[in-house]
Amino acid sequence: MELIERFLNYTRFDTQSAEESDTVPSTAKQLVFARYLKDELEREGLSDVEMDAKGYIYATLPQNLPDGETAPVVGFISHYDTSPDCSGADIKPRIVNAYDGGDIELSAGMVLSPAIFPELLRHKGEDLIVTDGHTLLGADDKAGIAEIVQAMVWLRTHPEVHHGKVRIAFNPDEEIGMGAHHFDVDRFGCQWAYTMDGGEVGELEFENFNAASAKVTIKGVSVHPGYAKGKMVNASLLAAEFAAMMPADERPETTEGYEGFYHLTAMQTTTEQARLSYIVRDHDRQRFEARKQFITEAVARMNRKYGEGTVTVVLNDQYYNMKEMIDPNPHVVDLAKRAMLTAGVTPRVKPIRGGTDGAQLSFKGLPCPNIFAGSINFHGPYEFVPVQSMEKAMRVVIEIARLACENH
């Protein structure tokens, strides 16, 4: 099927983003894929195809309405970077046809098992695209890109299905929280849009975490350990002490639903200096602000104990809960629900325990809920995507374009 061939082709490109980079995009290899995508959109007959210097791609499927008729301009967005958490180089995908419900051996010592990942059983009998256990798959979010592109091709080749002007956009650096920072909402020119970046079939998300990053730096004093008494300040030990101040029951591995957390994503330590990177998350804005304050107070406690300036923190807000911006625009969610039902998909409205570019875009004036793209277990070697889920997601894109026109 052309949709799957398109996705598998996309996985050939290593598009991993890098959190510590100060360039846009954060890695030059993302631009290699971006240029390929731009050329592909032109080959597929889309118009107004353009890519800016930062790798943001915009394109148009022109409306095919009878003369004199108009419809809202609706958009679809996906990101092309993959997570820094796992290698995205030399991906070797394969298709497990008619999954039988058992263990899937990815490679020696690497097994994708329903005993650990029970969500596999929801896709028994389906065709699963998996990794070889050494990289992520990249369906987050190249599956979303493939679904959008294939939907545009389908609409272009089925002129009997009327639709208004449809805008699509693909961007870098979503995985490091920067995807929407340079997104040109005015250039995009939509009344509302959808990110195709969710997981399981039917997911429709318009609530997400409020999110911040916290970069903690600890200064130690390094001297010869044989003569260290009363002189050495071991930054590695202080880092462990600081990490222990974060509540053990408020970590990603101990929370679910609307529960927020503190997540230690990286730690580099020596005796002389330590750096800890946290992400801070909560759906509730007041609790979110309280979490940031808790980190600030933890830094102050450490400094009272070890001396002013020993520990410093830089807190940066990344995005906010899009629900505040979606609630005044209920038609955007209603349309997505009806499109899913028309496509034979039961909507599953749930909060995102994460964020999408749509959260930031909603605060930039573009209401932008998130729709499933099908990827499961993303950001690691156990990632997989059912072929049938991708087909359904593509169909939802088509139905949104069609129903937006009919409703108008």
Side-chain angles (χ1 to χ4, degrees), residues 347-402:
R348 299 172 58 223
V349 176
K350 69 182 195 67
I352 310 173
R353 285 188 59 79
T356 71
D357 287 328
Q360 296 181 53
L361 293 173
S362 293
F363 281 90
K364 293 176 77 169
L366 179 67
C368 197
N370 190 42
I371 291 175
F372 72 94
S375 175
I376 301 168
N377 294 342
F378 33 78
H379 295 194
Y382 298 101
E383 182 183 12
F384 70 94
V385 62
V387 169
Q388 289 78 4
S389 297
M390 292 184 63
E391 292 170 343
K392 290 173 182 175
M394 183 193 85
R395 193 74 223 174
V396 169
V397 173
I398 292 169
E399 292 300 332
I400 287 175
R402 184 180 68 82

Side-chain angles (χ1 to χ4, degrees), residues 13-14 42 56 133 155 192 273 312 343 347 391 393 395 397:
F13 294 86
D14 179 7
E42 291 171 341
Y56 288 71
L155 287 166
W192 70 87
Q273 187 177 72
T312 57
E391 292 170 343
R395 193 74 223 174
V397 173

Side-chain angles (χ1 to χ4, degrees), residues 45 81 113 123 337:
D81 67 313
S113 171
H123 300 281
K337 288 179 179 177

Side-chain angles (χ1 to χ4, degrees), residues 200-387:
E200 276 279 18
V201 168
E203 286 186 5
L204 173 58
E205 301 157 326
F206 53 92
E207 294 183 70
N208 60 275
F209 278 139
N210 296 287
S213 66
K215 304 293 186 183
V216 179
T217 302
I218 301 175
K219 296 178 181 179
V221 177
S222 180
V223 297
H224 189 290
Y227 307 94
K229 185 173 182 179
K231 301 172 186 176
M232 178 184 287
V233 178
N234 191 329
S236 294
L237 292 176
L238 268 61
E241 181 177 345
F242 183 89
M245 296 170 75
M246 301 298 108
D249 59 348
E250 296 181 29
R251 299 171 180 165
E253 61 268 35
T254 59
T255 55
E256 62 183 351
Y258 285 95
E259 296 170 335
F261 57 74
Y262 306 89
H263 179 35
L264 178 60
T265 60
M267 179 190 294
Q268 300 88 34
T269 72
T270 64
T271 301
E272 189 169 13
Q273 187 177 72
R275 291 187 176 92
L276 300 88
S277 295
Y278 282 89
I279 59 173
V280 183
R281 301 290 189 262
D282 209 296
H283 283 92
D284 182 85
R285 188 65 169 267
Q286 288 185 326
R287 288 197 300 267
F288 171 64
E289 297 298 333
R291 289 184 182 282
K292 291 189 293 180
Q293 183 61 30
F294 181 84
I295 287 182
T296 300
E297 291 171 355
V299 168
R301 289 199 298 273
M302 292 287 286
N303 284 330
R304 286 194 295 271
K305 184 175 181 180
Y306 294 104
E308 194 61 36
T310 301
V311 184
T312 57
V313 63
V314 176
L315 280 158
N316 284 310
D317 287 0
Q318 296 169 309
Y319 51 81
Y320 302 110
N321 190 342
M322 74 170 85
K323 188 175 187 296
E324 330 179 6
M325 310 308 292
I326 300 298
D327 280 349
N329 299 279
H331 63 283
V332 176
V333 173
D334 292 341
L335 175 62
K337 288 179 179 177
R338 285 187 288 109
M340 286 186 186
L341 292 170
T342 305
V345 173
T346 301
R348 299 172 58 223
V349 176
K350 69 182 195 67
I352 310 173
R353 285 188 59 79
T356 71
D357 287 328
Q360 296 181 53
L361 293 173
S362 293
F363 281 90
K364 293 176 77 169
L366 179 67
C368 197
N370 190 42
I371 291 175
F372 72 94
S375 175
I376 301 168
N377 294 342
F378 33 78
H379 295 194
Y382 298 101
E383 182 183 12
F384 70 94
V385 62
V387 169

Side-chain angles (χ1 to χ4, degrees), residues 6 10 30 33-34 36-38 40-41 46 49-52 54-59 76-81 141-150 152 167-174 179 183 188 194 196 357:
R6 194 181 301 278
Y10 292 167
Q30 292 184 70
F33 183 50
Y36 176 87
L37 268 180
K38 177 181 180 292
E40 181 178 75
L41 295 176
L46 275 77
V49 180
E50 55 183 335
M51 184 179 83
D52 68 19
K54 293 180 170 63
Y56 288 71
I57 303 167
Y58 306 91
F76 298 94
I77 303 165
S78 288
H79 66 91
Y80 54 75
D81 67 313
D141 190 24
K142 289 171 185 167
I145 296 174
E147 292 151 7
I148 292 170
V149 173
Q150 199 62 45
M152 297 303 103
R167 289 282 278 165
I168 65 174
F170 305 129
N171 59 268
D173 291 340
E174 188 270 353
F183 193 105
F188 196 41
Y194 302 91
M196 300 298 295
D357 287 328

Side-chain angles (χ1 to χ4, degrees), residues 56-202:
Y56 288 71
I57 303 167
Y58 306 91
T60 300
L61 179 69
Q63 70 176 27
N64 65 353
L65 301 174
D67 289 345
E69 292 190 17
T70 61
V73 181
V74 179
F76 298 94
I77 303 165
S78 288
H79 66 91
Y80 54 75
D81 67 313
T82 60
S83 171
D85 293 345
C86 184
S87 173
D90 195 25
I91 295 171
K92 293 181 173 64
R94 68 182 174 94
I95 301 178
V96 177
N97 291 303
Y99 171 60
D100 63 6
D103 289 354
I104 301 172
E105 184 174 1
L106 304 177
S107 61
M110 294 287 290
V111 177
L112 181 59
S113 171
I116 302 173
F117 303 105
E119 55 268 27
L120 276 164
L121 297 177
R122 292 198 290 267
H123 300 281
K124 188 175 179 180
E126 298 181 2
D127 307 313
L128 310 184
I129 307 175
V130 301
T131 76
D132 68 349
H134 298 293
T135 68
L136 46 66
L137 179 61
D140 177 18
D141 190 24
K142 289 171 185 167
I145 296 174
E147 292 151 7
I148 292 170
V149 173
Q150 199 62 45
M152 297 303 103
V153 172
W154 191 95
L155 287 166
R156 178 177 58 78
T157 56
H158 290 77
E160 72 279 7
V161 177
H162 289 170
H163 58 82
K165 179 179 177 181
V166 180
R167 289 282 278 165
I168 65 174
F170 305 129
N171 59 268
D173 291 340
E174 188 270 353
E175 296 292 1
I176 59 172
M178 301 293 289
H181 278 43
H182 301 280
F183 193 105
D184 192 331
V185 170
D186 291 336
R187 174 186 287 186
F188 196 41
C190 289
Q191 284 149 288
W192 70 87
Y194 302 91
T195 50
M196 300 298 295
D197 192 20
E200 276 279 18
V201 168

